[in-house]
Amino acid sequence: MKFGVVVFPGSNCDLDAYHLVKDVLGEQVDYIWHQEESVAGFDCIVLPGGFSYGDYLRCGAIARFSPVMKSVVSFAGGGGLVLGICNGFQVLLEAGLLPGALYRNINLQFRCLFTHLKVENLQTPFTVGLEAGRLLKIPIAHGEGNYYADPDTLRRMEKSGQIVFRYATANGEVTDTANPNGSLANIAGVCNEMKNVLGMMPHPERAGEAALGSEDGRLIFKSILKSWEGSR
Amino acid sequence: MWKAEIRVLLKKSVLDPQGQAVENALGSLGYGNVQDVRIGKYLEVSFDAGSRQEAEAQVREMSERLLTNPVIEDYTFELVEE
Amino acid sequence: MWKAEIRVLLKKSVLDPQGQAVENALGSLGYGNVQDVRIGKYLEVSFDAGSRQEAEAQVREMSERLLTNPVIEDYTFELVEE
Amino acid sequence: MRAEDWRKMGLKDEEYLLITEIIGRDPNYVELGMYSVMWSEHCSYKNSKEVLRTLPTKGERVLQGPGENAGIVDIGDGLAVCFKIESHNHPSAIEPYQGAATGVGGIIRDIFTMGARPIALLNSLRFGTLEDVRARYIFNGVVSGIAGYGNCIGIPTVGGEVYFDPCYQGNPLVNAMCVGLLETDKIKRGQASGTGNPVVLVGARTGRDGMHGVTFASEELSAASEEKRPAVQVGDPFMEKLLLEACLELIYNDDVVGIQDLGGAGLTCATSEMASRAGTGLEIELERVPCREQGMTPYEIMLSESQERMLMVVLPEKEEKVHEVFRRWGLTSTTIGQVTGDGILRVRMGGKVVAEVPARSLAEDAPVYCPAFIEPAYLRMTAQLQLAEIPDSGDAEKVLLQLLSAPNIASKEWVWQQYDYMVRTCTVVLPGSDAAVLRLRGTKKGLAMTVDCNSRYVFLDPYLGGKIAVAEAARNLVCSGGEPLAVTDCLNFGNPEKAEIFWQFRKAVEGISEACLAFATPVIGGNVSFYNETNGEAIYPTPTVGMVGLLEDVEKRCTQEFKADGDLIVLLGETYEELGGSEYLATVHGMVAGRPPALELDKEKALHKLVLPAIGQGMLNSAHDLSEGGLAVALAECSFGQNIGASVELSSKGLRHDSLLFGESQSRVVVSVATDKVEMLLALAAQENVPAAVIGKTGGNSFLVTVDGRELINLPIEKMKTAWREAIGCLLK
Ligand SMILES: Nc1ncnc2c1ncn2[C@@H]1O[C@H](COP(=O)(O)OP(=O)(O)O)[C@@H](O)[C@H]1O
Ligand SMILES: [Mg+2]
């Protein structure tokens, strides 16, 4: 399986995603420069974290017009796996590949800390490898991760299992105190209806080695590998 | 030459944490008479266009494609000929 | 009840990285006719005041004390009676 | 030229005369402006040069000492670490967010200019007390400015320190440090060598912002500073990220002869310094400089301090390729001139020469002053501390809670949680321990880093305080398992033209020198920030010490938190009746007085010789240095990490209880060890002549302390932790 990590001007977690896939998981990976017009040859596209175009105007707003995004959109339309992490999530929302929007954290501050995620849907390519009830300890680092969708959209998403991760306490309770940014219904990650596009604010690529405080992020990449194997 | 003066605010249904914070700060600075604060973006875009109509159409298009996010934001604008 | 509509922009001599980035983005989206983009803040503040004069004085005071930093920003405002 | 012209620019009459002697005529207005910025204290170090010469700067590992944009130290395996600290105090006082942000931007440029990839940021901050609205506003703005820049550019901010004291009310301190990594054969220097080589300017357009920023940094803050406001600028971290990647790509491919960032004094400084270092001259054409505004004059272009710009000298055959690389990164680059052999900096505008002076004279020939110095009168007062007149802490529990929630001791989580300290996934000891530790990919090594200074000590005894700042930094590294390598310092003081201030400066540097010599940690670079005064009142002398240490095996790192129930707690070092300058005296008794605790460098070194191998051999489960708040606070902090309590039995041996619990005697570390390793540790301690006492055991969820058999403290960890963690957030509400 071959991963592609997109590099926008201002991406800065590209290296971390690359490192996890290549050095920790031993899988194939290449960078994809934002001006590439094709993503042919890749099996999973990762839109990494960072501050594409400085996050000026709105996070992800300018990056979504990069040449590479056209091919990412059609790749996703054909069922290809796309994972957007943090800024990558914001780009996916701006590009219309996922519903809703992300805006300023409720306390107006950038926040960097470990969070616990409750997995709400084990039937996505990104979560199939997880045990039921297993919480994931994965850090966040963002200033605009406050998820919003209008009530109708939210209802639809709940129904079709598009809410994938919610912020929870260390005991797995979805409460206000566990919510680091004001996100609607503690939402930390969502997918599209087809389930092949996932956006999440927490950084699984920062939780792939014991030395970094958690290995849970690896499980998401393992799931991707598993579902890809299964689909062949 | 036209100058579009675009004001962008969060939709009423979306909580405005920044406005809230400034409202509280004004209160504690002694402006107890302040009832509501909303904070958004202000953009000035200068560009050429043949007519006011054309200019208006272009501002709408730019706003909807790039300058605002219709999921959470509303905008209004004025056009000034320069 | 008054509503102050306050527009805040960076002073002309100060770099506006946001405006610059959006200007470039508009250019590559095909809006080659765009010459200049400046991005700032827009605030709506609703409050009670006895008269327009009083209201104006208060907006000025709030703007200079809290809402803007005169070191790098300029502001203009309009007052609407509600 | 009228006297008021040069005086307004901050030049003294005799300095003007010197200029006319150097160039053999009266300077024109542009030239006068160039001399005035280059000969300001900020650029020329004219008041501090002589004193700085006394710092030890050499060492086996030092590849680059002071004099370049940043210093470099060899760490083996063909790798080197490059680091530097710099102040951005005055801009932060006036526009906290942008002032701090551009400070971070500036120090990052200093690091990648040397060819190093920036891997970490640290910061040392000082504000007025949080009861004051303005201090809260500045604190908030500075922290979000540091976050805004560092997070956006994608360099983790991994450590620092924050203090609050009324002396910083009008003049906050914002010192930013950056650490970079490079291969020893890729070092670049700011030298304009090779006659005929093109000179390329790249990055942001030049604007009218930041004119005379360095002069501004070389004056006291006053109401008149308001007029100089355009000296504050807006940073563009996105532009800098592109610059960083593009420049490192070029440097890595050996496409650059010399490179320097444009910081204070802008184009004037970069051109004259690069030529001066190489013994060459430069010719530039200002018409080619991309400007943000129309009609900018030569004076404005030469003095603008617009951020995010770099100047480089390249080989003629590489010129096209260099422009091509910048284009790919979306950057504008322009060839603005070339290197000449005549040593002259010649500036043209539209072909007409607008300035023509010896490059060296700008960079090197500023007059050197030896300001007068005299022991400050206040020291006679503060030295008079009669401990007998101060009641011993009656209620130790209450005092402990009070100290834990004192802003200088309370958790700084409110600050560092706003920083992305994890990006690049190399931070293996996160903020909250004695020093941050980063792993170095592709090697077994790690780097520990810290910044420290207790300015209250320096105020009460500049010499001793300077020494302690170095010792504390070294001790923090050692507690993390890092062997101290070298120092960068940021010397923040008041107006050096006042004899008492200059005395403080000389004494502090003397203390730093002595400690650096003892620990074999040379000073490889730094920054001096004078004129930190408001309306004639100086800040505490604050020589911040940034230090980096090496871990040969990053797996052998250590942190401060207790790891397991049932470990033994051992106190290394000796406790004396020392309360002078303590946080306890200040917080509980409202006194800033006495002498700081004594420091014996031999004892400190012995402690390091014990702790480092003990960590290396896996003897210790945790190690934490004792600083503000003394033993009781240090033990509580060890408990907080994993909510593991402790019970401790102390004997007073005639010491006051407050000295025993809250005194800040130096050269002490508290460690936890598994019971089967304690013999080994005590034997090693005996061998190194370090006093070591088993004082208790870890476990439970309370913190228990008995002194001479009497219980003085019995507090739930949870309660102490809440007080400590939430204090700063609460004060900001
Ligand atoms: N401004 C800051 N930025 C980042 N980290 C900080 C800052 N201030 C404090 N910290 C972190 O908080 C912890 C405690 O700081 P401090 O009390 O100064 O420790 P010490 O006394 O051991 O030097 C350290 O890990 C330090 O790096
Ligand atoms: Mg400290």
Side-chain angles (χ1 to χ4, degrees), chain D residues 160-161 163 450-454 472 476 625 627-628:
Chain D
E161 52 170 6
Y163 286 90
T450 182
V451 264
D452 287 284
C453 176
N454 182 321
E472 186 185 345
N476 280 332
D625 108 276
S627 58
E628 289 86 4

Side-chain angles (χ1 to χ4, degrees), chain D residues 66-325:
Chain D
E68 271 284 344
N69 290 296
I72 300 179
V73 179
D74 196 330
I75 56 169
D77 293 345
L79 290 175
V81 57
C82 171
F83 58 93
K84 167 117 188 265
I85 191 167
E86 204 156 71
S87 67
H88 231 214
N89 304 337
H90 287 183
S92 304
I94 291 191
E95 213 314 298
Y97 183 98
Q98 296 297 346
T102 49
V104 173
I107 195 66
I108 293 172
R109 282 195 298 283
D110 276 335
I111 299 305
F112 72 77
T113 295
M114 301 301 296
R117 174 167 284 278
I119 59 166
L121 291 163
L122 298 96
N123 56 94
S124 166
L125 311 175
R126 303 280 187 296
F127 306 97
T129 52
L130 290 177
E131 286 76 41
D132 180 73
V133 200
R134 174 105 192 138
R136 289 204 295 268
Y137 164 76
I138 295 178
F139 176 43
N140 212 336
V142 163
V143 170
S144 33
I146 291 173
Y149 208 100
N151 298 350
C152 182
I153 198 168
I155 301 167
T157 304
V158 300
E161 52 170 6
V162 189
Y163 286 90
F164 305 92
D165 192 285
C167 73
Y168 303 108
Q169 204 84 357
N171 195 313
L173 299 186
V174 176
N175 296 175
M177 171 170 163
C178 184
V179 181
L181 192 66
L182 73 164
E183 290 169 21
T184 44
D185 59 354
K186 295 283 193 252
I187 298 178
K188 274 293 155 209
R189 296 195 165 85
Q191 295 182 352
S193 347
T195 303
N197 279 343
V199 176
V200 175
L201 177 66
V202 59
R205 288 164 179 276
T206 299
R208 286 197 174 97
D209 52 349
M211 308 284 306
H212 273 292
V214 292
T215 324
F216 174 54
S218 308
E219 283 171 5
E220 294 169 30
L221 286 180
S222 66
S225 313
E226 308 274 299
E227 287 167 24
K228 296 220 166 106
R229 274 174 166 175
V232 177
Q233 305 148 63
V234 168
D236 185 353
F238 172 57
M239 170 79 81
E240 180 136 317
K241 164 79 175 165
L242 303 178
L243 267 181
L244 179 157
E245 297 297 345
C247 289
L248 287 181
E249 182 180 326
L250 289 171
I251 291 172
Y252 206 82
N253 292 327
D254 269 331
D255 292 332
V256 177
V257 175
I259 173 168
Q260 169 141 347
D261 70 304
L262 275 71
L267 204 47
T268 303
C269 179
T271 48
S272 60
E273 283 190 2
M274 284 185 78
S276 174
R277 284 198 201 104
T280 58
L282 278 188
E283 259 179 14
I284 56 170
E285 167 55 71
L286 297 184
E287 206 118 277
R288 300 206 196 128
V289 174
C291 290
R292 221 159 57 219
E293 296 170 79
Q294 296 204 322
M296 283 184 65
T297 64
Y299 177 88
E300 290 171 328
I301 298 173
M302 286 308 288
L303 267 63
S304 162
E305 294 183 8
S306 288
Q307 300 282 309
E308 288 93 20
R309 298 180 299 162
M310 305 288 290
L311 192 70
M312 56 182 70
V313 170
V314 303
L315 293 173
E317 60 270 27
K318 296 280 180 80
E319 186 181 348
E320 234 349 274
K321 178 182 174 198
V322 166
H323 289 307
E324 171 52 35
V325 168

Side-chain angles (χ1 to χ4, degrees), chain C residues 5-82:
Chain C
E5 303 179 342
I6 309 172
R7 310 162 185 211
V8 187
L9 279 181
L10 287 167
K11 280 193 200 307
K12 276 273 153 60
S13 61
V14 173
L15 176 75
D16 175 8
Q18 289 215 66
Q20 196 56 51
V22 170
E23 193 176 312
N24 296 342
L26 284 172
S28 54
L29 278 179
Y31 302 104
N33 58 340
V34 170
Q35 308 260 324
D36 187 40
V37 179
R38 300 189 62 79
I39 301 192
K41 270 186 306 208
Y42 174 64
L43 297 94
E44 286 184 357
V45 182
S46 306
F47 62 105
D48 287 324
S51 66
R52 176 170 288 268
Q53 245 166 332
E54 246 178 61
E56 275 189 13
Q58 179 165 342
V59 176
R60 275 211 190 85
E61 199 186 279
M62 292 189 299
S63 298
E64 269 143 54
R65 280 183 70 191
L66 180 74
L67 305 179
T68 74
N69 186 350
V71 177
I72 50 170
E73 294 170 330
D74 285 329
Y75 70 97
T76 56
F77 67 94
E78 278 149 54
L79 263 179
V80 189
E81 189 158 13
E82 294 203 313

